[in-house]
Amino acid sequence: MSVDLDIPSASLALPQHVLGVLYDVAREALGNVARHARATRASLGVAISGGGISLRVSDNGCGMGEQDRHKPGCYGLLRAAERLAGLGGSLRTLGLAGSGTLLRASVPLASADRR
C-alpha cells in the first residue's frame, strides 16, 4: 500500500500529550486501513488552522460502513475518540461502500494548551 503524506515541514510546537494522542490516532487509522480496507493507496494529512490542529486519513479501500464501527472487540477508534474528547477534540469517520473511508480528527489548540 502506498501512503501519501501532507504534513507541515516545520516542527509543531504543541504539548507532548497532544502530539502523542494524534500519533496514536494516526497509527490506529493507518493500521485499520492496512488490516481491513483492502486499499492500494492511503493519505495522511496534518493541518493547523482556525485555532486547531486536524488530522485526516483517507484510503481507496472497500469503505467502512456504520456496522463496522461497532463490531464486538473492536475498540481502537472508540479509544481514539475518547482520548480526543479528553482534549476537547473530536473524531469523525465517513465510509462509502467501494469508495474508501475518510477519518478526521481535530483538537482545538486553546483547550489543548490548558490541559
Side-chain angles (χ1 to χ4, degrees):
M1 177 179 69
S2 171
V3 179
D4 297 320
L5 297 176
D6 181 13
I7 56 176
S9 57
S11 64
L12 300 174
L14 296 171
Q16 200 65 28
H17 66 280
V18 173
L19 291 174
V21 169
L22 290 172
Y23 174 82
D24 288 344
V25 172
R27 183 180 60 192
E28 179 67 28
L30 288 174
N32 283 347
V33 172
R35 285 188 302 276
H36 306 297
R38 297 187 303 271
T40 59
R41 298 191 64 78
S43 67
L44 181 144
V46 174
I48 297 178
S49 64
I53 182 165
S54 63
L55 168 72
R56 175 191 40 78
V57 178
S58 62
D59 67 70
N60 69 346
C62 60
M64 185 174 91
E66 185 64 32
Q67 71 281 2
D68 297 320
R69 291 181 181 92
H70 307 289
K71 284 183 179 177
C74 298
Y75 302 110
L77 291 179
L78 175 61
R79 185 173 49 247
E82 289 173 349
R83 291 187 69 199
L84 287 162
L87 298 173
S90 64
L91 177 74
R92 307 260 189 267
T93 57
L94 173 63
L96 300 172
S99 297
T101 299
L102 170 65
L103 175 141
R104 287 189 185 271
S106 62
V107 176
L109 293 179
S111 67
D113 289 337
R114 288 193 303 262
R115 297 179 191 261

